[in-house]
Amino acid sequence: MTIPHVVIIGGGFGGLSAARTLKSAPVRITLVDRTNHHLFQPLLYQVAMAGLSPADIAAPIRSVLHKQKNVTVLLAEAVGVDFVNNTVQLADGQLSYDYLILATGGRTSYFGNDQWEQFAPGLKDLDDAVEIRRRVLLAFEAAEKESNPERRQQLLTFVVVGGGPTGVELAGAIAELSHFVLARDFRNVNPKEARVILLEGGPRILPSFTDDLSDSATKQLNQLGVNVRVNTRVTNIDERGAHLGEQLIQAATVIWGAGVQATAFATKLGVPHDRAGRVTLEPDLTLPNHKNVFAIGDMTSFTHQEGKPLPGVSPVAMQMGRTAARNVLHALKGEPYEQFKYTDKGSMATIGRHAAIAEMGKLHLSGFPAWLAWLFVHLIFLIGFRNRVAALFNWAWSYFTYQRGSRLITGRRLSLLPRRVMRAQVGLEEEPQPNEKSEFSVR
Amino acid sequence: MTIPHVVIIGGGFGGLSAARTLKSAPVRITLVDRTNHHLFQPLLYQVAMAGLSPADIAAPIRSVLHKQKNVTVLLAEAVGVDFVNNTVQLADGQLSYDYLILATGGRTSYFGNDQWEQFAPGLKDLDDAVEIRRRVLLAFEAAEKESNPERRQQLLTFVVVGGGPTGVELAGAIAELSHFVLARDFRNVNPKEARVILLEGGPRILPSFTDDLSDSATKQLNQLGVNVRVNTRVTNIDERGAHLGEQLIQAATVIWGAGVQATAFATKLGVPHDRAGRVTLEPDLTLPNHKNVFAIGDMTSFTHQEGKPLPGVSPVAMQMGRTAARNVLHALKGEPYEQFKYTDKGSMATIGRHAAIAEMGKLHLSGFPAWLAWLFVHLIFLIGFRNRVAALFNWAWSYFTYQRGSRLITGRRLSLLPRRVMRAQVGLEEEPQPNEKSEFSVR
């Protein structure tokens, strides 16, 4: 008798939960991911804002699972599934499975305006975070050399599109970074001149929270100096900034925090999915007509419980992962599948130093208590003891000294900002020499 | 009366020392660097080997100097100097100076074989380190999937070219990484199969040390499992590996630790330089015929003291920086310049865990005592308290747990290794399907 083979695609919160639930099961597991690390996405914005290092919030999947002897980890890209022959196609080979758990997560969606990506990066992985860190820090460096006040204003204007948790975190963090951290390090520019503008299309930010918490978040953002504009739709983004119909907000840095869709892998599976590419599920988390194939997390749309899809947050993915894994165990024992039921333990969003909101049933917290709760929960769940200690240290360091240790501009791309924007000139001469042809360049 | 303007090009050990020596001087200083961070290069190999994070060994130059109010830091690339008009040309502007201190450092030299760079990266900056980390970790990942024994051997063969301190550090660190750290995380590949080969053209490694220490280093490398080959010249490097005349060492990963030359900036200054582009100096560190222009560190060739150029190490750069800065002060007071005199306080090279050599005058240390001395000196001199604590923590963590927290493969390039090498196939099927067309791909 051969040992049943469970293939899990994706090493995020959902995939890891599924693998761990099968720890003592009589199966062999192959976990496939296209990166070598599990990423603690809720803290990704901290990397983008130079508060934490990439290694603080990521752990090699091999390390996370190295004690679980029934798992093989494979660095590979899954490109499709042959449901008839029970085979996963990889970019460089294939894997046959007895049970398949799909957990490929989400990616940034520009709602059909993919040409905006070059001007307004999203925040989904470590490369995104390092790229945003680079753009924000370089904008300050360029402003330090800029003598033209209008161009300097443009360099010091940061637009964040999208008033969900990611946008709110980013906007708050940019405001903090510029007003507290960078303030003392520049000579010619006062980083307090920096403007941070948060744009939200709907009537309020953080719409998944209650009205009172949403209001509180806006107040806390305002206190940090963030300009929050609701009912404001972006019509175009280019090298000059963000367009709101006729109006243009001139900004060298625009960050996209607005939309999430399922990975391209999910969309191309050939199974029913919604407009955001999220596959539709049976109540037991299987794909329709495929009783040995489960899908979990951000790549799915699970509407059976509340009528609307469950939110794309890690608790949903982890609970789904456990249910899918338990259903594999049920199948092995010839038992009927259980249906998925999400238990909402509350949600929180951080805004900045001492600033957050938290909603746990009827308990609504704002400000410092919410921030402490947020910090506690996120440090506890950060996977890997070493990451937890390292992150806590780096955090405490930033907190007490107002320094950011990870303020590194790396990468060899010559210029981060559209060249037309960046025609800067050095303003240090006693009699500045106009030099319109020169271009800012960073190696 | 205007305040004299001192321009320093380069924020490495030399440039920072010069700036700090002028702390209380009645001058205004502009420090220009093309990166935003000071890099503690002696620990760069630790980043390449996933032991430390980039942020552990780099500090924003602005932060390092933020208390020194007479310094302005500028992120910009210097492209030339107009000695007649006392002006530095930047890629995007210019700076006039009264005194100029050049400290642009070194870069990797392939001795005229620049086409080798794509196959054998050098190790000079953070991007290099992250690239080497990526290649080494990806080679193990690809080996995990490789069923052909010959290809697997090629993937697990690591060639380091050059038996100087950098090459020795890298070879020792790869051996450690594969034999101790990665060993338990792989299922199909035994990382102990990894071969590490160190190639040195001369008769012994670490030729700047005495014979006995050089021998000791070879023995310590052998104990770590490194194959050391002296009197061995590389004639070509391509996607298959390193060629030694007719012989080919098949290796997916080749790292270049052999040569250093001055930056292109130094070579193009239009002043006398040696074959490695290092500018020749007067005994007082000025350029010939330019009494207000000093050059220091790895971009220079200072032969007045020992007949041969001083080594390209940080103590030389730092001592030169201090002398150049003091000569600026002498000039301001109308005093004669002092001549540079290097005080050699000894040198050390690390090989691995508990393995190092140190030479301090007549005191020669090997093994554990040398390693402790090396660790102590390097942690003490690591700039910035936060970096020191963070690095110590990460180090202790790696040391006691044999884990490496920074084992992240990042960057969006599709395939790191030459595609011809990487035609791998997944070897997990019970009956592997030959699939010669597929190519390994990493996102």
Side-chain angles (χ1 to χ4, degrees):
Chain A
M1 193 190 119
T2 53
I3 302 170
H5 188 200
V6 180
V7 173
I8 301 172
I9 311 290
F13 289 107
L16 277 189
S17 286
R20 284 175 159 174
T21 304
L22 294 170
K23 190 169 183 164
S24 312
V27 295
R28 61 190 180 92
I29 302 166
T30 301
L31 192 152
V32 176
D33 200 294
R34 61 185 180 182
T35 75
N36 81 326
H37 49 272
H38 169 75
L39 181 63
F40 194 77
Q41 274 191 346
L43 292 180
L44 198 51
Y45 82 99
Q46 280 280 348
V47 174
M49 290 302 129
L52 295 175
S53 274
D56 295 336
I57 64 156
I61 298 172
R62 288 192 187 290
S63 293
V64 174
L65 292 174
H66 84 265
K67 283 187 183 155
Q68 190 173 334
K69 294 300 179 194
N70 64 353
V71 175
T72 299
V73 176
L74 214 58
L75 177 70
E77 180 158 18
V79 293
V81 177
D82 177 346
F83 295 110
V84 177
N85 296 304
N86 288 339
T87 307
V88 176
Q89 274 111 31
L90 307 176
D92 58 346
Q94 53 184 10
L95 283 171
S96 63
Y97 61 83
D98 297 302
Y99 299 93
L100 178 62
I101 299 176
L102 301 173
T104 60
R107 59 179 165 143
T108 302
S109 164
Y110 289 87
F111 305 124
N113 297 292
D114 288 349
Q115 72 279 14
W116 295 356
E117 186 179 2
Q118 58 178 311
F119 306 111
L123 182 65
K124 285 304 283 181
D125 61 25
L126 286 177
D127 292 321
D128 289 339
V130 170
E131 172 64 19
I132 289 175
R133 181 176 81 184
R134 214 169 67 89
R135 290 190 187 213
V136 171
L137 295 176
L138 273 176
F140 280 102
E141 296 291 340
E144 176 82 345
K145 299 196 284 188
E146 181 58 69
S147 53
N148 176 322
E150 195 190 330
R151 286 201 199 125
R152 195 158 70 204
Q153 182 61 264
Q154 184 182 23
L155 287 165
L156 292 176
T157 300
F158 300 87
V159 173
V160 178
V161 184
T166 302
V168 167
E169 278 162 9
L170 279 170
I174 298 176
E176 276 201 326
L177 182 73
S178 48
H179 298 167
F180 299 114
V181 181
L182 297 177
R184 61 182 165 185
D185 284 354
F186 287 84
R187 299 285 184 259
N188 301 307
V189 142
N190 183 351
K192 291 183 183 175
E193 296 171 32
R195 291 193 304 162
V196 184
I197 300 166
L198 179 64
L199 303 179
E200 163 61 33
R204 60 189 181 97
I205 59 169
L206 298 173
S208 64
F209 290 81
T210 54
D211 278 348
D212 58 320
L213 289 174
S214 191
D215 284 351
S216 165
T218 304
K219 284 202 194 84
Q220 294 182 62
L221 280 169
N222 290 340
Q223 275 161 13
L224 282 170
V226 177
N227 179 352
V228 180
R229 301 195 196 166
V230 294
N231 294 314
T232 304
R233 287 197 183 277
V234 171
T235 53
N236 192 20
I237 302 175
D238 61 19
E239 70 278 7
R240 290 176 295 165
H243 297 257
L244 316 170
E246 292 301 298
Q247 198 201 336
L248 165 65
I249 304 176
Q250 290 200 30
T253 312
V254 182
I255 305 175
W256 186 259
V260 176
Q261 61 185 334
T263 52
F265 171 84
T267 319
K268 291 186 297 187
L269 276 177
V271 299
H273 57 76
D274 68 7
R275 272 170 54 197
R278 292 176 297 204
V279 302
T280 42
L281 294 176
E282 299 292 339
D284 56 10
L285 302 183
T286 57
L287 296 189
N289 305 318
H290 301 297
K291 292 307 277 183
N292 63 339
V293 181
F294 302 85
I296 60 178
D298 288 1
M299 68 173 280
T300 68
S301 168
F302 187 86
T303 53
H304 304 275
Q305 196 163 332
E306 300 186 343
K308 58 178 187 177
L310 290 175
V313 296
S314 55
V316 171
M318 289 160 78
Q319 291 181 33
M320 283 181 142
R322 281 182 221 118
T323 300
R326 277 199 305 270
N327 278 342
V328 169
L329 294 176
H330 290 313
L332 293 175
K333 293 178 191 160
E335 297 168 358
Y337 284 176
E338 57 187 90
Q339 301 205 347
F340 176 64
K341 186 163 183 335
Y342 173 56
T343 310
D344 186 355
K345 289 179 180 155
S347 50
M348 17 181 96
T350 183
I351 294 155
R353 196 182 176 82
H354 299 186
I357 59 171
E359 182 176 344
M360 285 160 281
K362 285 184 182 159
L363 180 64
H364 291 191
L365 298 177
S366 278
F368 190 64
W371 182 79
L372 269 189
W374 179 89
L375 190 64
F376 179 75
V377 166
H378 284 77
L379 279 179
I380 290 296
F381 282 102
L382 190 54
I383 281 176
F385 174 74
R386 181 245 171 226
N387 303 58
R388 222 172 288 163
V389 177
L392 183 61
F393 168 78
N394 288 335
W395 219 320
W397 182 257
S398 307
Y399 183 85
F400 289 112
T401 65
Y402 289 93
Q403 292 216 14
R404 296 284 169 97
S406 305
R407 267 163 53 201
L408 305 178
I409 300 173
T410 53
R412 288 215 169 81
R413 266 158 295 179
L414 266 183
S415 95
L416 72 161
L417 293 169
R419 295 211 128 214
R420 255 179 289 174
V421 178
M422 291 305 302
R423 248 189 283 137
Q425 63 194 63
V426 174
L428 291 179
E429 298 301 303
E430 263 118 78
E431 294 182 10
Q433 303 286 324
N435 186 3
E436 277 295 318
K437 278 187 196 155
S438 70
E439 296 219 347
F440 186 75
S441 147
V442 179
R443 150 71 171 68
Chain B
M1 194 189 118
T2 54
I3 302 170
H5 187 203
V6 180
V7 172
I8 301 173
I9 312 289
F13 289 107
L16 277 189
S17 285
R20 284 175 161 175
T21 304
L22 293 171
K23 189 167 184 166
S24 313
V27 296
R28 61 188 180 95
I29 303 167
T30 302
L31 192 151
V32 176
D33 199 294
R34 62 185 179 179
T35 75
N36 81 326
H37 48 273
H38 169 75
L39 181 63
F40 194 77
Q41 274 192 344
L43 292 181
L44 198 51
Y45 82 99
Q46 281 279 348
V47 174
M49 290 302 129
L52 296 175
S53 273
D56 294 336
I57 64 156
I61 298 172
R62 287 192 188 290
S63 292
V64 174
L65 293 174
H66 84 264
K67 282 187 183 157
Q68 189 173 334
K69 294 299 179 195
N70 64 352
V71 176
T72 298
V73 175
L74 213 57
L75 177 70
E77 180 158 20
V79 293
V81 178
D82 178 345
F83 295 110
V84 177
N85 296 306
N86 289 340
T87 306
V88 176
Q89 275 111 30
L90 306 176
D92 58 346
Q94 53 184 9
L95 283 171
S96 62
Y97 62 82
D98 298 302
Y99 300 93
L100 177 62
I101 299 177
L102 302 173
T104 59
R107 58 180 167 144
T108 302
S109 165
Y110 290 87
F111 305 125
N113 297 292
D114 287 350
Q115 72 279 15
W116 296 355
E117 186 179 2
Q118 58 177 311
F119 306 111
L123 182 65
K124 287 303 285 180
D125 61 25
L126 286 177
D127 291 320
D128 290 338
V130 171
E131 172 64 19
I132 289 176
R133 181 177 80 184
R134 216 169 67 88
R135 289 190 187 215
V136 170
L137 296 176
L138 273 177
F140 280 102
E141 295 290 340
E144 176 83 344
K145 299 196 285 187
E146 182 58 70
S147 52
N148 176 323
E150 195 190 330
R151 285 201 198 125
R152 194 158 70 203
Q153 182 61 264
Q154 184 182 24
L155 286 165
L156 292 176
T157 300
F158 300 87
V159 172
V160 178
V161 183
T166 301
V168 166
E169 279 161 7
L170 280 170
I174 297 176
E176 277 200 327
L177 182 73
S178 48
H179 299 167
F180 299 115
V181 180
L182 298 178
R184 60 181 166 185
D185 285 354
F186 287 84
R187 298 286 184 257
N188 302 307
V189 141
N190 182 351
K192 291 184 183 174
E193 297 170 29
R195 291 193 304 162
V196 184
I197 301 167
L198 179 65
L199 303 179
E200 163 61 32
R204 61 191 181 93
I205 60 168
L206 298 172
S208 65
F209 290 82
T210 55
D211 278 348
D212 59 319
L213 287 175
S214 192
D215 285 353
S216 165
T218 303
K219 284 200 195 86
Q220 294 182 63
L221 280 169
N222 290 340
Q223 276 162 12
L224 282 170
V226 176
N227 179 352
V228 180
R229 300 193 196 168
V230 294
N231 294 314
T232 304
R233 286 196 184 278
V234 171
T235 53
N236 192 20
I237 302 174
D238 60 20
E239 69 278 7
R240 288 174 296 164
H243 296 258
L244 317 169
E246 294 300 300
Q247 198 200 335
L248 165 65
I249 304 176
Q250 289 200 31
T253 312
V254 182
I255 305 173
W256 186 257
V260 177
Q261 61 186 333
T263 52
F265 172 83
T267 319
K268 292 185 293 184
L269 276 177
V271 300
H273 58 74
D274 68 7
R275 273 170 51 197
R278 293 178 297 206
V279 302
T280 44
L281 294 177
E282 298 293 339
D284 56 10
L285 302 183
T286 57
L287 297 187
N289 305 318
H290 299 298
K291 293 306 277 184
N292 63 339
V293 181
F294 302 84
I296 60 180
D298 289 2
M299 69 173 279
T300 69
S301 168
F302 188 84
T303 54
H304 303 276
Q305 197 163 329
E306 300 185 341
K308 58 177 186 177
L310 290 175
V313 295
S314 55
V316 171
M318 288 160 80
Q319 291 181 33
M320 282 180 144
R322 281 182 222 116
T323 300
R326 279 199 305 269
N327 279 343
V328 169
L329 294 176
H330 289 313
L332 293 175
K333 294 178 189 160
E335 298 167 357
Y337 284 177
E338 57 187 88
Q339 301 204 344
F340 177 64
K341 188 164 181 332
Y342 173 56
T343 310
D344 185 356
K345 289 178 181 159
S347 49
M348 17 180 96
T350 184
I351 296 155
R353 198 181 173 82
H354 299 186
I357 59 171
E359 182 177 344
M360 286 160 279
K362 285 184 181 159
L363 180 63
H364 292 189
L365 296 178
S366 279
F368 189 63
W371 182 78
L372 269 189
W374 178 88
L375 189 65
F376 180 75
V377 166
H378 283 76
L379 279 179
I380 290 296
F381 281 102
L382 190 55
I383 282 175
F385 174 75
R386 181 244 170 228
N387 301 59
R388 222 172 287 161
V389 177
L392 183 62
F393 168 77
N394 287 336
W395 219 319
W397 183 257
S398 307
Y399 184 85
F400 290 112
T401 65
Y402 288 92
Q403 292 216 17
R404 296 284 169 94
S406 305
R407 270 162 52 201
L408 305 178
I409 300 174
T410 53
R412 287 216 169 81
R413 267 160 295 181
L414 266 183
S415 96
L416 72 161
L417 292 170
R419 294 213 130 214
R420 257 179 286 174
V421 179
M422 292 304 303
R423 248 191 282 135
Q425 63 194 61
V426 175
L428 291 179
E429 297 301 302
E430 263 119 80
E431 294 183 9
Q433 303 287 323
N435 186 2
E436 277 296 317
K437 277 187 198 154
S438 70
E439 297 217 348
F440 185 76
S441 148
V442 180
R443 151 66 174 68

